[in-house]
């Protein structure tokens, strides 16, 4: 075993024998680092072990004996796992730490080797005094983190990938707890942004306090008292502090140990909210700390981090502080200087430091902007690259003549809208471009996307190849199937009915087999279906065109699975979700975009009314009269949270109530997300076939089923829905000739003024509503699978911050134009950061 490890082993053993009292080395175990790191590197120990050791020992003094035992143990384990010679040796038998009190049998402390003593200098004489405030976790090895000779910037410090157990006070158990909040490595810590901040930076004299204030006060403890409440159920510790201007009473509940921590005559700093109790000012369970220690928790803008079980704010904050203050300044910025200057942003180290420990609100704002910029910038770089990759592949050419197309169009029962015509032109151009189409067709509910998809499929069929259309539910797939049959295989049409097939979960196995054979042999030209299409045995002879309808309903893998059934097939994804342009360009920058912003002529505006809860009877009578005239109605309920038993399905209860008490003479159906897919389909089909008058449902009806005979959309608890959702729901009616209505009933009176509901009443235009919602609530509402994936990766950036998005996009485009592959050594850190960003589970294109 290397001599440096041998030494370490001896120190650890001694330390064990001393009950982990940090007495094995004079001045504390950390002092060995002064010589040990150098020796270890001479011994060529792996760098991460050196750093892990440095980190463990640096924080060693701060821990209780139990924690110390655990820290040394886990460090030694790590060493054993990497250095075979160490594996056989134990630093000490593994057993619980001896309490510190048992000082009797302590082994003598080891003297530092003379050369180390010299190096250690002042540190050695500090054995008793307070430890220097800034802990010293792992140190980057020169040449790893910093510039190499020749000015080529290299990787980010390797230690940022180190597990959290390298930190003092973090054993495997703590590390496991931190995993639950997504913290695995030191790098994760840096990017573990505060949930919010408490601004304690305004320190107040006690005399000037008033109730309700959130403040920090420093004072001397003048009185303490501990007692039990009657019945002994609660322990109360009270203290009074005085700062010379007045006194303030502090009350702590069930923290009996404070008796030994907050003592008369000592100075403490407390932060919290000033409250009133029996006419006196009090603070209940404030954050507090003795004033000698570094003011981590008080007297400044303090970060508040997301927590998990058994992790306290104070503990995590301290750990975060240790990591951030040490590492942030040492990071080399991945963003090229030129970009940073052009965008007027602080450097990465400053931004990270300030996002955790802001010196002022202004600095915090700048830090946020910088980190948000990075996210959008990365997003955009990735999207540009994705697009280029797509474009570099070859796509089969499909070209049809004007006459051919004119024939198809004249066979339709209606003329295409301008918007449909434009979308079709786009698609036609893609198909003859020689590159795979990669297009998003965005069109409001009812804008007629299906016809466009069918005509596109026909162009590909005309070239002899196959097309697959995937829809999220079998009822939608069936609906599309009928449209395709009508458009493509009616009299004189292009295809025989048998060449267009429907493949859903419910398709009888025999028929499935027949379809599979047809697809593999090439006789079947178009298949329309659900996820059943991507189940393994389905193979195509020549799949060249894929349509994914309601794309946000599919996961990335599902779309990729379908795509992989062809070779660089053309891809058309469709969505009814109106995505504001600023968002679309950022999130879908890799896709070409066709927007259908026009509904077929004669489409009715659906009058939308907001009713108060006590006007519900009016809604019911509209439902009754519409049903009497032969129409049908939807009644939608939100999911209601109930504390004890999780979700309560309002729809189920209300269905029963409506059936019994309100519409006892009508036939009511029930639909909700907990039903199995085929049960859901059965209910929807039954509703479409008029077996029910009223369908009581959760939002599962939201996706595109066509029931032209339904004329009323009644939404209960409407204030709980987002605009996009309400708009989708409203799109379920008004699909036939008859005048339709949308009625929105919020939960409670004041929500009747709800902006969103008002917007619904004022506009029927999905894009107007989308822009409005984006302004009001940010982009979350419009996020499907893919966007939600992005949003999760966007911790800082708000997609409604259009100026920032534009700035980041401009910079990304400019850089992409200069060095698309980030080959320039100056961009190597950026290349790495980009890879990290995109490898964290972000979606792909379709
Ligand atoms: P979505 O875009 O919501 O998927 P669909 O494709 O389901 O819309 O079309 C909605 C309805 O509009 C269908 O009944 C369809 O036949 C009809 N439609 C589509 N295009 C036109 C048009 N140009 N003129 C009249 N009706 C149309
Ligand atoms: Mg549709």
């Amino acid at each position: 075993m290397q001599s440096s490890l041998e030494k370490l082993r001896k120190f650890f053993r001694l330390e064990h024998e001393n009950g982990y009292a940090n007495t094995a080395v004079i001045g504390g175990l950390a002092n060995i680092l002064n010589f040990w790191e150098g020796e270890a590197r001479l011994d060529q120990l792996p760098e991460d072990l050196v750093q892990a050791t440095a980190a463990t020992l640096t924080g060693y003094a701060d821990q209780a004996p139990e924690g110390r035992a655990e820290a040394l143990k886990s460090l030694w384990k790590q060493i054993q796992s990497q250095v075979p010679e160490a594996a056989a040796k134990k630093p000490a038998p593994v057993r619980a730490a001896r309490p510190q009190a048992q000082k009797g049998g302590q082994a003598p402390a080891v003297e530092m080797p003379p050369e180390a003593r010299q190096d250690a200098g002042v540190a050695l004489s500090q054995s008793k005094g307070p430890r220097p405030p800034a802990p010293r976790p792992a140190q980057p090895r020169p040449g790893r983190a910093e510039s190499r000779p020749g000015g080529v910037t290299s990787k980010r410090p390797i230690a940022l990938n180190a597990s959290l157990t390298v930190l003092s006070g973090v054993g495997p158990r703590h590390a496991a707890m931190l995993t639950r909040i997504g913290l695995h490595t030191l790098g994760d810590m840096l990017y573990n942004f505060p949930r919010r901040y408490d601004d304690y930076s305004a320190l107040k004299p006690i005399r000037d306090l008033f109730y309700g204030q959130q403040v920090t006060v420093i004072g001397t403890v003048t009185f303490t008292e501990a007692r039990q409440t009657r019945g002994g159920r609660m322990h109360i510790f009270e203290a009074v502090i005085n700062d010379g201007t007045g006194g303030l009473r502090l009350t702590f509940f069930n923290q009996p140990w404070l008796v030994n921590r907050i003592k008369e005559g000592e100075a403490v700093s407390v932060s919290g909210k000033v409250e009133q109790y029996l006419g006196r000012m009090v603070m209940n369970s404030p954050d507090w700390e003795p004033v000698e220690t570094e003011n981590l928790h008080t007297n400044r803008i303090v970060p508040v981090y997301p927590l998990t079980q058994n992790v306290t704010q104070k503990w995590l904050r301290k750990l975060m502080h240790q990591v951030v203050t040490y590492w942030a300044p040492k990071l080399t910025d991945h963003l090229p200087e030129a970009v940073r200057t052009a965008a007027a942003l602080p450097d990465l180290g400053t931004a990270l430091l300030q996002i955790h420990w802001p010196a002022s609100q202004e600095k915090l704002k700048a830090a946020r902007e910088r980190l948000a910029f990075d996210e959008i910038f990365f997003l955009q770089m990735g999207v540009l690259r994705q697009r280029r990759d797509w474009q570099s592949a070859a796509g089969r050419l499909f070209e049809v003549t004007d006459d051919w197309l004119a024939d198809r169009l004249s066979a339709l029962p209606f003329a295409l809208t301008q918007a449909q015509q434009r979308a079709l032109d786009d698609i036609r151009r893609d198909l003859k471009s020689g590159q795979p189409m990669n297009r998003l067709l965005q069109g409001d509910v009812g804008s007629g996307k299906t016809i466009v998809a069918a005509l596109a499929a026909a162009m590909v069929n005309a070239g002899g190849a196959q097309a697959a259309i995937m829809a999220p539910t079998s009822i939608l797939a069936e609906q599309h199937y009928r449209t395709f049959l009508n458009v493509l295989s009616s009299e004189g049409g292009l295809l025989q009915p048998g060449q267009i097939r429907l493949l859903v979960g419910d398709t009888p196995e025999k028929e499935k087999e027949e379809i599979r054979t047809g697809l593999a042999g090439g006789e079947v030209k178009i298949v329309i279906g659900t996820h059943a299409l991507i189940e393994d045995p389905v193979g195509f002879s020549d799949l060249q065109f894929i349509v994914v309808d309601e794309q946000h309903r599919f996961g990335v893998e599902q779309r990729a699975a379908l795509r992989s059934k062809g070779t660089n097939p053309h891809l058309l994804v469709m969505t009814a979700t109106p995505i504001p342009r600023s968002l679309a360009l950022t999130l879908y920058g890799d896709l070409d975009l066709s927007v259908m912003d026009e509904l077929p002529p004669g489409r009715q505006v659906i009058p939308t009314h907001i009713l108060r809860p006590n006007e519900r009877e009016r809604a019911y009578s509209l439902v009754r009269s519409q049903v009497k005239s032969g129409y049908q109605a939807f009644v939608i309920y939100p999911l209601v949270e109930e504390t004890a038993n999780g979700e309560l399905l309002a729809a189920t209860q209300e269905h029963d109530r409506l059936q019994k008490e309100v519409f006892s003479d009508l036939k009511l159906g029930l639909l909700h997300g907990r039903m199995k897919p085929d049960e859901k389909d059965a209910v929807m089909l039954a509703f479409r076939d008029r077996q029910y008058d009223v369908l009581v449902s959760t939002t599962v009806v939201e996706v595109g089923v066509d029931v032209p005979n339904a004329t009323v959309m009644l939404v209960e608890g409407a204030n709980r829905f987002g605009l996009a959702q309400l708009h989708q729901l409203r799109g379920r009616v008004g699909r036939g000739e008859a005048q339709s209505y949308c009625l929105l009933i919020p939960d409670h009176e004041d929500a009747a003024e709800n902006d969103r509901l008002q917007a619904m009443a004022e506009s029927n235009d999905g894009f107007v509503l989308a822009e409005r919602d984006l302004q009001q609530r940010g982009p979350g509402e419009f996020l499907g699978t893919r966007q939600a994936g992005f949003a999760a990766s966007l911790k800082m950036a708000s997609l409604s911050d259009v100026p920032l998005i534009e700035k980041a996009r401009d910079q990304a485009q400019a850089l992409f134009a200069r060095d698309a592959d980030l080959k320039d050594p100056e961009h190597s850190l950026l290349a790495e950061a980009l890879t990290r960003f995109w490898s964290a589970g972000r979606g792909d294109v379709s």
Side-chain angles (χ1 to χ4, degrees):
M1 186 159 65
Q2 292 91 332
S3 73
S4 55
L5 278 187
E6 191 59 48
K7 272 186 194 157
L8 209 53
R9 195 175 72 90
K10 281 187 183 147
F11 284 127
F12 286 10
R13 170 169 289 277
L14 198 54
E15 184 57 14
H16 169 77
E17 281 164 11
N18 287 351
Y20 297 100
N22 199 17
T23 50
V25 177
I26 291 173
L29 209 51
N31 273 336
I32 67 170
L33 291 174
N34 294 311
F35 66 91
W36 187 86
E37 275 184 52
E39 284 189 22
R41 292 205 172 97
L42 282 178
D43 281 346
Q44 301 196 313
L45 287 192
E47 177 64 16
D48 56 342
L49 284 186
V50 178
Q51 298 197 0
T53 307
T56 304
L57 298 188
T58 305
Y60 190 74
D62 283 341
Q63 290 178 277
E66 291 80 4
R68 290 174 181 169
E70 200 170 336
L72 294 191
K73 217 165 72 188
S74 82
L75 175 60
W76 194 253
K77 264 208 194 120
Q78 193 184 346
I79 292 172
Q80 286 179 317
S81 71
Q82 293 186 37
V83 183
E85 301 93 300
K89 311 244 180 183
K90 275 190 175 180
V94 179
R95 60 186 152 98
R98 245 185 297 158
Q100 247 173 323
Q102 275 184 296
K103 283 198 174 155
Q106 274 190 8
V110 171
E111 277 284 351
M112 301 287 280
E115 74 277 24
R117 225 182 304 169
Q118 260 170 17
D119 290 350
V122 189
L124 265 179
S125 61
Q126 273 188 342
S127 59
K128 274 269 147 31
R131 289 174 34 77
R136 211 187 53 158
Q139 300 217 346
R141 184 188 201 169
R144 287 221 186 223
E146 329 290 352
S147 300
R148 281 205 194 115
V152 180
T153 336
S154 148
K155 289 182 174 172
R156 71 173 188 163
I158 193 100
L160 288 186
N161 301 328
S163 116
L164 296 181
T165 48
V166 304
L167 294 171
S168 62
V170 180
R173 208 164 38 86
H174 288 120
M177 286 174 343
L178 291 170
T179 302
R180 287 203 297 264
I181 33 179
L183 302 178
H184 304 271
T185 64
L186 295 183
D188 294 340
M189 299 276 280
L190 286 178
Y191 281 86
N192 177 39
F193 300 138
R195 185 160 53 85
R196 63 180 173 85
Y197 302 85
D198 284 336
D199 192 348
Y200 291 128
S201 57
L203 202 61
K204 287 265 175 161
I206 290 177
R207 185 185 49 209
D208 295 346
L209 299 184
F210 49 87
Y211 305 126
Q213 265 179 326
Q214 183 81 13
V215 289
T216 296
V217 177
I218 290 180
T220 306
V221 180
T222 57
F223 167 85
T224 65
E225 182 189 61
R227 58 190 161 82
Q228 302 284 126
T229 52
R230 247 176 299 154
R233 296 181 34 174
M234 198 187 284
H235 182 277
I236 295 180
F237 177 70
E238 286 194 304
V240 175
I241 60 166
N242 194 299
D243 69 350
T245 71
L248 177 69
R249 183 170 292 261
L250 316 175
T251 309
F252 299 89
F253 304 97
N254 287 335
Q255 301 181 48
W257 58 87
L258 290 182
V259 175
N260 299 317
R261 311 262 312 265
I262 300 184
K263 297 211 168 125
E264 273 179 48
E266 287 178 358
V268 294
S269 158
V270 297
S271 297
K273 192 169 164 200
V274 182
E275 285 170 274
Q276 179 172 199
Y277 181 68
L278 301 177
R280 288 177 308 189
M281 284 190 293
V282 298
M283 265 192 201
N284 288 322
S285 302
D287 275 356
W288 73 277
E289 62 183 20
V291 284
E292 304 86 358
T293 59
E294 202 184 354
N295 251 346
L296 289 186
H297 307 283
T298 47
N299 202 13
R300 54 166 308 137
I301 305 175
V302 174
V304 179
Y305 294 101
L307 297 178
T308 177
Q309 218 181 351
N310 297 331
V311 173
T312 66
Q313 190 61 246
K314 202 162 174 166
W315 182 80
L316 182 59
R317 199 183 271 156
K318 195 165 167 192
L319 203 62
M320 289 296 305
H321 185 260
Q322 186 185 334
V323 172
V324 171
T325 51
Y326 183 79
W327 279 109
K330 295 188 174 53
L331 293 181
T332 313
D333 202 332
H334 49 244
L335 212 56
E337 179 81 46
V339 174
R340 212 165 66 219
T341 313
L345 296 165
D347 68 81
L348 182 62
T350 306
L352 285 172
L353 209 53
Q354 291 298 326
I355 204 73
H356 290 283
W357 298 92
S360 66
Q361 293 291 350
E362 294 71 48
K363 293 236 162 94
L364 175 58
K365 188 161 168 267
R368 271 205 185 110
E369 170 152 342
R370 159 63 210 253
L371 296 167
F373 179 95
D374 277 15
E375 293 173 349
I376 301 289
F377 187 84
F378 287 158
L379 196 61
Q380 199 61 30
M381 287 294 286
V383 153
L384 289 169
R385 189 176 283 184
Q386 186 85 261
R387 180 189 184 85
R388 190 204 45 188
D389 290 351
W390 276 99
Q391 288 179 343
S392 68
R396 176 95 59 88
L397 287 170
F398 294 98
E399 194 159 6
V400 295
T401 63
D402 290 345
D403 286 347
W404 181 94
L405 192 57
D407 279 354
R408 304 282 81 72
L409 295 182
S410 65
L412 294 178
F414 41 69
L416 290 188
T417 64
Q418 299 270 321
Q420 284 171 315
Q421 190 66 60
R422 275 197 306 273
L424 200 62
D425 288 346
D426 290 342
I427 289 169
R428 198 175 161 201
R429 217 174 319 110
D430 291 346
L431 287 175
K432 61 178 181 192
S433 71
Q435 292 168 348
M437 175 200 311
N438 195 25
R439 182 169 294 278
L440 173 66
L441 176 57
Q442 194 185 77
D444 208 347
V445 180
S447 60
K449 295 184 288 293
T450 320
I451 297 285
V452 174
L455 291 168
M459 293 180 195
V460 171
N461 290 152
Q466 293 170 304
I469 290 84
M470 185 160 72
T473 64
S474 55
I475 185 164
L476 262 184
E478 199 211 305
Q479 205 168 286
H480 290 344
Y481 173 65
R482 278 185 281 119
T483 304
F484 273 63
L485 278 182
N486 281 339
V487 175
L488 302 179
S489 72
S490 50
E491 281 172 13
L494 293 168
L495 299 172
Q496 299 303 312
Q499 293 180 300
I500 305 178
R501 301 300 296 258
L502 175 70
L503 181 65
V504 297
D506 273 356
T507 309
E509 192 49 43
K510 190 159 153 276
E511 195 182 333
K512 274 187 184 162
E513 197 47 52
E514 192 186 302
I515 296 171
R516 285 186 197 122
T517 313
L519 286 170
E523 302 88 43
V524 173
K525 294 296 178 193
I526 298 181
V527 64
I528 297 159
T530 54
H531 58 276
L533 288 180
I534 50 183
E535 279 159 16
D536 265 334
V538 184
F540 294 78
S541 77
D542 187 20
L543 178 63
Q544 287 294 329
F545 183 48
I546 285 169
V547 180
V548 179
D549 191 22
E550 309 286 354
Q551 58 87 23
H552 62 284
R553 293 281 161 149
F554 289 99
V556 173
E557 318 73 38
Q558 289 173 308
R559 287 170 289 179
L562 184 56
R563 224 173 37 219
S564 72
K565 295 194 180 262
T567 317
N568 294 331
H570 294 282
L571 175 71
L572 180 67
V573 301
M574 309 202 292
T575 183
T577 307
I579 304 163
R581 196 159 183 81
S582 60
L583 254 184
L585 286 175
T586 308
L587 293 181
Y588 291 105
D590 47 344
L591 300 178
D592 295 305
L593 187 63
S594 295
V595 177
M596 303 209 302
D597 50 2
E598 181 188 355
L599 294 179
R603 226 17 96 66
Q604 47 176 295
V605 166
I606 301 162
T608 302
H609 301 284
I610 306 168
L611 297 181
R612 292 162 186 279
N614 62 13
E615 295 173 309
R616 189 169 278 123
E617 194 46 50
R618 286 176 60 194
Y620 293 156
S621 45
L622 178 70
V623 170
R624 263 190 221 104
S625 72
Q626 288 290 303
V627 169
K628 210 173 202 170
S629 319
Y631 299 114
Q632 292 161 285
F634 292 100
V635 183
I636 308 297
Y637 289 92
L639 293 172
V640 180
E641 296 286 340
E642 201 179 50
T643 42
N645 310 328
E647 269 175 1
L648 172 80
L649 219 45
T652 310
Q653 291 198 334
E654 288 296 299
H655 168 267
D656 297 349
R657 186 185 69 84
L658 290 175
Q659 182 72 79
K660 272 200 212 101
E661 298 171 18
V662 184
F663 301 123
S664 52
D665 50 335
L666 306 184
K667 285 168 290 178
L668 267 61
L670 172 65
L671 188 70
H672 59 75
R674 300 246 185 90
M675 294 161 70
K676 294 206 194 77
D678 46 344
E679 289 172 348
K680 279 192 265 186
D681 279 348
V683 171
M684 281 209 246
L685 287 173
F687 184 59
R688 192 190 62 193
D689 299 340
R690 302 204 194 180
Q691 292 171 31
Y692 298 121
D693 302 308
V694 178
L695 185 62
V696 177
S697 173
T698 60
T699 55
V700 292
V701 296
E702 169 190 327
V703 166
V705 58
D706 227 353
V707 183
N709 194 51
T711 56
V712 184
M713 171 57 65
L714 166 57
V715 183
E716 290 277 0
N719 52 307
R720 292 167 182 265
F721 296 101
L723 261 185
Q725 224 173 2
L726 289 173
H727 180 64
Q728 288 276 336
L729 287 169
R730 180 168 60 187
R732 295 301 106 216
V733 296
R735 301 203 139 217
E737 306 282 296
Q739 179 61 56
S740 297
Y741 308 88
C742 177
L743 304 174
L744 306 174
I745 307 184
D747 284 322
H748 47 272
E749 292 270 345
D750 15 325
E753 298 306 315
N754 187 307
D755 276 348
R756 252 171 302 143
L757 303 190
Q758 212 52 53
M760 281 291 292
E762 282 162 21
S763 177
N764 262 250
D765 183 330
F767 286 89
V768 170
L769 294 173
E771 290 289 356
R772 200 150 159 178
D773 210 30
L774 184 66
Q775 286 159 16
Q776 282 176 6
R777 315 204 316 163
E781 175 66 18
F782 290 95
L783 306 182
T785 316
R786 167 188 192 159
Q787 299 99 311
F790 282 142
S793 66
L794 300 182
K795 299 196 210 169
M796 271 301 148
S798 157
L799 290 173
S800 53
D801 187 349
V802 176
L804 178 79
I805 288 175
E806 281 171 357
K807 185 156 95 171
R809 199 170 60 220
D810 289 351
Q811 292 297 327
Q813 277 166 353
L815 185 68
F816 195 79
R818 285 202 303 278
D819 182 15
D821 290 310
L822 301 178
K823 288 243 168 27
D824 187 333
E826 208 190 315
H827 297 151
S828 69
L829 269 178
L830 179 62
E832 274 180 51
L834 196 61
T835 308
R836 264 200 312 281
F837 180 84
W838 279 92
S839 62
R842 259 131 228 129
D844 83 336
V845 225
S846 52

